Amino acid sequence: MKTKSIINSRDIPMLVVMILFVLMFGVGSVMFRGFFSMQNFLNLFIDNAYLIIMAVGMTFVIISGGIDLSVGSMLALSTMVTSSLLEKSHWNPVCVILIVLAMGVALGLFMGYLIRKFDLPPFIVTLAGLYFARGLCYVVSVDTIAINDGFWQTMAHGQINIIGNNFISPSVIIAIVVLIAGIFISRSTKFGRTVFAIGGNEQSAVLMGLPVARTKVLLYAFSGFCSALAGIVFTFYTLSGYALDGSGMEMDAIATVVIGGTLLTGGVGSILGTLFGVFIYGTIQVLIVFQGTLNSWWTRIAVGFLVCVFCVFQRILESRGTKEKRKDTSAKAEKTPVKG
Amino acid sequence: MSETTPIIEMRKIKKVFPGVMALSDVDFRLFRNEVHAIMGQNGAGKSTLIKVLTGVYEQDSGEIFLEGKSIRPDSPLAAQKLGIHTVYQEVNLCLNLSVAENIFIGKEPMKFGKIDWKAMNRKSEEVLARLNIDIDVTKTLSYYSIAIQQMVAIARVLDSSAKVLILDEPTSSLDEGEVEQLFKVIKKLRDDGLAILFITHFLDQTYQIADRITVLKNGEFIGEYKTEALPKLELIARMLGKELSEFHSTTHDEEKKKASAQAVTDTGTLMSARNLGRQGSIAPFNLNLEGGDVLGLAGLLGSGRTEMAKLLFGIDGADQGDIFIKGRKTAINSPRNAMMAGIGFCSEDRKNEGIFAELTIRENIILALQTRQGVLRFLSMKKQQEIADQLIGSLGIKTPSGENTASQLSGGNQQKVMLARWLATDPMILILDEPTRGIDVGAKREIMELILDLSKKGLGVLFISSEFDEVIRCSTRVAVLKDKAKIAELSGEEMTESGIMHTIAGGK
């Protein structure tokens, strides 16, 4: 008995996020003059490129049922090392980028190793990572280090024109590459599917013969890579390194992932959903800027509210799903054809 | 069935756990094109044997041969690589992935360096078609019933070069139609050349599907039989480890006859159950328990004894039927309700569900009483000691003082503490699930005498034991269970070991 429904129930959260984004953008367009424009939409990409990159890594970690609290500090450490190497040691920009990315991967690998080897909760290990990386920032420098490197200046001020008078920044290109890579990995590679399996039922994944241990370690390395890259992109905005950069950003990343329909319990989620999570997060900020009188902290209140609503919504969807299933399968048991 | 070389041969397998001989020199043979059932009571060594075969445990001595070659799998994965696959009762798949993915994950068809979803879905449909299943493989697995999930688990195994398929209690959560469907699949696979090892507690199912039966008892190999050459009655006898002739057909216990002769201040019906049942747990049954009654529940492992007890004590909620306490309909849907209604329950799992080993004997005894009183009405220490000491004395719990921790007691004395705990609450009805398991013979006698004493005082007792002779010695009536249903109630002359066995073997 084949019934291919048009909308898979798995996709409902994704749809809701998309609709919510369109609604919010629509409301802004109706309320504020000048809100509705291609450029304003592209600005969502431009302003949040680093968050998109970071959230892609976070999405994988959360789908696996884990969490990575170190990403905000890793971003800061990445900005510090970048600016220090560029300005104090005057290294070649390409070398700097490679070294910073390698550092992110290495720290991530180490955390992943601890999590797997000693079977520690990711929450604790990455919390330690959060403090460790933040502390290292101050070892590099207590003060802000400004970046005057030519390549960085170009990246910061570069504009790439697309469709008419609209433009995007080089950072956006990086973010989009990471996004596409993330979508590809999650859908079409063994690594990606193993991440989903681990999030669904780790014990089963082991019994099915999947490389669970290796995948778990690589996950945190990937997240470390993403947050280090996010740090580099972040310096394209600020043209400086500062030890307090990105504090609390791990929570922003988690929030966008959750709003994007990824279950904190693991097993369900999508990169595309996370992109829309970031869009919604960005739109709230823009709405508040356009509104003019509200304090920017209202962003937090709105995000908090949304995260809450989405969690409850998913839970309701889930329990309705199981109820439906019960009805459905009892009917199915009779109907399932046994040609035999 | 040709008697060629077996695909699996296990010779003189021995496995010792600290203090327990789990397997001693067990032989086992499995042939291509056959369904083989391993039967045995609790502790017979069935699951240990399977775990040795699938690489979960390593045997202490003995050898395993796969198609004549000696093997020694050191992990389930290693066993799988050899073509030995297991489908567990708890389906070990990922509910969040699609059916197709569950079949192919880890060995997905690739195209241009990426997963070829189309090919995967098509191949999944083909594999499932082998099992006569036609479903949408792109849906998540959680969408389907346990039965389908099990088939998917089987399908996953089939795709690879499977030689041996082990099904561990596959039918325990399936309904009749689903079992039938599964059996069709099993037969088809058998005819396709697979060797299937089937583990179940359901007697009738064994006779429906198995070609050959190996019987184990207490870690020892009892025998290997062709199913048609082993009548049910004999199988039961072998599982219990006795020859048929050993079963006396008379009730022979003096003491019990005395007890029932003196019979008791009749307090009328204490508890009755009408059509009480729970799907997947136990079929609806009727039950009557009068004051002074000791109603024995007899049946093989997995026959539904414990399930029945759990229903009566409110641990599992019934989904149909009613319980009447002293003629009044009473809703018992939690142990607390049951306690308030005057029911006490000693679990079969003394270690995990009964005794708090770190607490003192006094504290263990007071526990249920305190719960019944509520936290606010605290019992004074003096009162507690009084109650505890009195019960320690009357039950003959061997301890220097009530302030020793329960962990210092022997199994038999721990069991008495459990009894004392419920007696402290002054119950009308006691449900005792395997109170005599794992304790020595002397302690068993004492426990049984206690049970008889209590019944003389007008208590109603529900007594569960896997030892038929104990059930008969203690009980005034015996309810016989089989395959998760109550099938008969025996009393008087019929109440003998062979009577019980014939009832179980005879079917419904």
Side-chain angles (χ1 to χ4, degrees):
Chain A
M1 199 186 66
K2 268 181 219 178
T3 44
K4 281 210 176 152
S5 45
I6 308 156
I7 302 163
N8 200 323
S9 65
R10 270 185 299 177
D11 299 334
I12 291 178
M14 179 77 209
L15 268 177
V16 171
V17 189
M18 285 172 152
I19 291 168
L20 183 70
F21 168 65
V22 171
L23 266 180
M24 283 174 63
F25 211 78
V27 166
S29 308
V30 173
M31 279 173 64
F32 307 111
R33 194 186 271 262
F35 188 97
F36 184 79
S37 70
M38 188 63 183
Q39 188 59 53
N40 201 19
F41 173 69
L42 291 177
N43 282 345
L44 286 177
F45 269 109
I46 296 172
D47 295 338
N48 298 297
Y50 62 92
L51 187 58
I52 291 174
I53 296 168
M54 185 185 271
V56 167
M58 184 67 84
T59 308
F60 277 96
V61 173
I62 293 181
I63 287 174
S64 83
I67 195 94
D68 189 350
L69 297 180
S70 71
V71 292
S73 301
M74 290 282 277
L75 175 135
L77 183 60
S78 166
T79 68
M80 290 306 286
V81 172
T82 303
S83 55
S84 171
L85 288 180
L86 283 173
E87 296 305 318
K88 294 188 175 165
S89 315
H90 301 286
W91 284 30
N92 178 299
V94 179
C95 271
V96 171
I97 289 173
L98 289 179
I99 282 189
V100 168
L101 291 180
M103 177 194 73
V105 171
L107 280 174
L109 268 179
F110 183 61
M111 288 191 291
Y113 173 78
L114 290 181
I115 289 166
R116 184 195 75 80
K117 178 77 181 174
F118 300 103
D119 201 20
L120 294 169
F123 186 94
I124 298 298
V125 174
T126 58
L127 183 67
L130 179 155
Y131 282 104
F132 179 72
R134 184 70 67 187
L136 274 186
C137 292
Y138 290 93
V139 174
V140 177
S141 168
V142 184
D143 304 312
T144 310
I145 306 170
I147 300 174
N148 301 307
D149 180 84
F151 175 69
W152 250 257
Q153 295 286 344
T154 335
M155 291 302 276
H157 302 299
Q159 290 190 354
I160 300 158
N161 284 311
I162 52 163
I163 327 168
N165 274 333
N166 304 307
F167 67 90
I168 54 173
S169 65
S171 305
V172 174
I173 306 281
I174 300 175
I176 287 176
V177 169
V178 171
L179 261 175
I180 291 172
I183 291 172
F184 178 79
I185 292 171
S186 72
R187 288 192 187 162
S188 302
T189 65
K190 295 194 174 196
F191 172 80
R193 300 319 297 175
T194 306
V195 171
F196 276 88
I198 294 173
N201 187 336
E202 188 171 336
Q203 206 198 339
S204 292
V206 172
L207 283 172
M208 288 162 113
L210 301 176
V212 171
R214 190 180 72 206
T215 304
K216 273 176 95 171
V217 176
L218 285 179
L219 258 178
Y220 289 89
F222 180 68
S223 180
F225 172 85
C226 285
S227 44
L229 183 60
I232 293 171
V233 170
F234 196 72
T235 57
F236 294 159
Y237 294 80
T238 59
L239 283 174
S240 67
Y242 181 43
L244 274 178
D245 277 341
S247 56
M249 203 182 280
E250 59 277 351
M251 294 305 157
D252 293 339
I254 295 170
T256 52
V257 171
V258 170
I259 292 174
T262 298
L263 285 185
L264 267 178
T265 45
V268 178
S270 72
I271 303 291
L272 206 59
T274 296
L275 175 65
F276 278 91
V278 175
F279 279 169
I280 287 174
Y281 177 86
T283 308
I284 294 170
Q285 281 179 321
V286 177
L287 278 175
I288 282 164
V289 169
F290 266 81
Q291 204 273 343
T293 57
L294 283 176
N295 191 302
S296 70
W297 285 100
W298 278 93
T299 313
R300 306 261 159 154
I301 294 173
V303 169
F305 177 73
L306 272 183
V307 169
C308 204
V309 167
F310 268 79
C311 286
V312 172
F313 168 71
Q314 282 177 342
R315 181 46 58 89
I316 291 171
L317 214 65
E318 228 173 277
S319 61
R320 271 208 12 219
T322 36
K323 258 184 227 154
E324 250 169 53
K325 177 193 145 194
R326 255 184 226 133
K327 270 189 254 156
D328 217 84
T329 44
S330 56
K332 194 157 214 110
E334 293 154 27
K335 282 185 212 151
T336 311
V338 182
K339 322 170 212 158
Chain B
M1 209 186 311
S2 59
E3 295 274 330
T4 47
T5 38
I7 187 156
I8 291 278
E9 182 163 15
M10 300 174 84
R11 268 190 227 148
K12 302 253 171 273
I13 300 294
K14 191 166 164 184
K15 176 78 195 170
V16 183
F17 292 115
V20 194
M21 175 74 85
L23 294 173
S24 78
D25 295 343
V26 171
D27 293 330
F28 174 72
R29 298 188 304 162
L30 183 62
F31 291 90
R32 229 179 259 286
N33 294 88
E34 81 165 358
V35 178
H36 195 131
I38 298 187
M39 303 292 290
Q41 283 282 77
N42 220 347
K46 286 172 299 187
S47 56
T48 314
L49 189 70
I50 301 306
K51 284 180 173 161
V52 168
L53 179 58
T54 53
V56 179
Y57 298 148
E58 219 170 318
Q59 69 269 32
D60 295 329
S61 68
E63 268 193 286
I64 309 172
F65 297 94
L66 176 71
E67 293 175 317
K69 273 180 282 196
S70 175
I71 57 164
R72 207 178 174 93
D74 54 5
S75 72
L77 270 187
Q80 282 173 28
K81 289 214 176 91
L82 292 167
I84 303 170
H85 295 269
T86 315
V87 173
Y88 297 94
Q89 171 185 5
E90 308 277 323
V91 181
N92 276 297
L93 295 173
C94 293
L95 292 175
N96 60 323
L97 303 181
S98 76
V99 170
E101 220 178 344
N102 268 297
I103 296 176
F104 277 99
I105 193 164
K107 47 190 183 212
E108 300 96 335
M110 305 294 279
K111 201 164 134 192
F112 309 123
K114 57 185 219 177
I115 294 171
D116 186 350
W117 286 92
K118 263 194 194 145
M120 189 157 103
N121 291 338
R122 197 190 61 239
K123 283 187 183 175
S124 303
E125 279 168 5
E126 286 168 14
V127 179
L128 286 172
R130 253 185 91 184
L131 306 180
N132 298 327
I133 295 173
D134 181 19
I135 55 174
D136 180 359
V137 296
T138 60
K139 280 211 162 104
T140 48
L141 187 65
S142 61
Y143 180 80
Y144 294 105
S145 66
I146 304 268
I148 295 287
Q149 290 176 19
Q150 233 156 20
M151 305 282 186
V152 172
I154 294 175
R156 175 178 173 80
V157 167
L158 286 187
D159 175 63
S160 49
S161 53
K163 293 175 184 146
V164 175
L165 179 60
I166 302 170
L167 300 168
D168 188 359
E169 293 271 354
T171 55
S172 51
S173 41
L174 305 187
D175 65 31
E176 255 171 68
E178 292 170 332
V179 169
E180 204 175 301
Q181 195 183 355
L182 179 70
F183 279 6
K184 270 191 186 148
V185 168
I186 292 178
K187 282 179 182 153
K188 186 161 190 297
L189 294 176
R190 175 194 64 191
D191 298 341
D192 288 353
L194 228 58
I196 294 165
L197 179 54
F198 184 74
I199 303 162
T200 185
H201 286 130
F202 294 99
L203 272 183
D204 286 344
Q205 289 181 6
T206 305
Y207 277 86
Q208 263 178 53
I209 192 86
D211 301 308
R212 199 187 287 259
I213 298 173
T214 290
V215 179
L216 302 179
K217 175 172 165 59
N218 291 336
E220 278 169 35
F221 176 78
I222 300 294
E224 183 200 276
Y225 314 89
K226 288 205 167 174
T227 308
E228 61 270 21
L230 184 72
K232 267 186 208 171
L233 195 58
E234 232 169 285
L235 172 63
I236 299 166
R238 298 273 147 79
M239 285 166 67
L240 298 172
K242 294 178 181 175
E243 287 304 316
L244 263 180
S245 54
E246 277 182 54
F247 288 98
H248 304 287
S249 25
T250 47
T251 20
H252 51 78
D253 199 85
E254 294 293 311
E255 201 173 356
K256 197 199 65 219
K257 276 187 179 156
K258 258 193 283 167
S260 53
Q262 284 175 1
V264 219
T265 36
D266 189 7
T267 41
T269 302
L270 291 178
M271 174 161 78
S272 59
R274 292 279 159 268
N275 272 325
L276 197 66
R278 176 183 162 91
Q279 215 189 346
S281 170
I282 185 154
F285 61 90
N286 292 322
L287 203 75
N288 242 332
L289 192 64
E290 288 172 16
D293 249 355
V294 179
L295 177 61
L297 298 188
L300 298 171
L301 182 70
S303 57
R305 298 171 315 207
T306 297
E307 286 82 351
M308 188 183 255
K310 285 192 166 171
L311 223 52
L312 291 173
F313 193 59
I315 295 172
D316 294 333
D319 51 20
Q320 56 176 304
D322 303 302
I323 297 177
F324 298 85
I325 303 285
K326 287 195 159 168
R328 266 206 8 246
K329 188 171 155 181
T330 313
I332 293 187
N333 40 31
S334 76
R336 202 180 153 74
N337 280 162
M339 246 168 86
M340 295 303 178
I343 307 175
F345 175 75
C346 293
S347 158
E348 66 177 328
D349 189 356
R350 201 161 53 225
K351 282 210 182 70
N352 295 320
E353 292 178 12
I355 282 287
F356 294 88
E358 305 78 30
L359 298 185
T360 67
I361 296 167
R362 170 182 53 79
E363 285 167 325
N364 264 297
I365 292 179
I366 293 302
L367 213 61
L369 182 60
Q370 187 69 67
T371 313
R372 194 157 111 155
Q373 292 240 321
V375 193
L376 292 178
R377 282 164 48 206
F378 189 71
L379 292 164
S380 75
M381 189 55 123
K382 205 173 148 228
K383 182 90 179 140
Q384 288 190 25
Q385 273 164 349
E386 228 176 83
I387 295 172
D389 287 343
Q390 194 238 325
L391 282 163
I392 289 171
S394 65
L395 297 187
I397 299 172
K398 291 181 192 71
T399 173
S401 132
E403 299 307 310
N404 288 39
T405 60
S407 58
Q408 296 168 342
L409 296 176
S410 68
N413 279 307
Q414 285 189 358
Q415 194 61 55
K416 287 186 197 164
V417 171
M418 294 264 294
L419 266 176
R421 176 188 298 166
W422 291 108
L423 293 179
T425 65
D426 196 17
M428 296 187 304
I429 299 155
L430 261 182
I431 302 173
L432 306 175
D433 194 358
E434 298 267 11
T436 55
R437 181 191 293 171
I439 61 181
D440 63 60
V441 185
K444 271 187 188 180
R445 272 257 316 261
E446 283 180 40
I447 297 276
M448 287 197 280
E449 273 163 22
L450 268 171
I451 292 171
L452 290 173
D453 270 357
L454 290 172
S455 72
K456 271 182 228 161
K457 287 180 190 147
L459 248 71
V461 180
L462 207 65
F463 176 68
I464 304 175
S465 170
S466 30
E467 309 289 334
F468 292 170
D469 54 331
E470 281 180 19
V471 175
I472 289 167
R473 218 175 302 155
C474 268
S475 311
T476 46
R477 280 181 302 141
V478 174
V480 182
L481 285 90
K482 176 193 181 185
D483 296 353
K484 311 261 182 216
K486 179 182 165 190
I487 54 169
E489 205 166 289
L490 308 177
S491 59
E493 292 294 297
E494 309 167 304
M495 205 172 81
T496 62
E497 283 187 76
S498 67
I500 294 174
M501 299 225 326
H502 279 283
T503 312
I504 293 175
K508 289 173 189 178

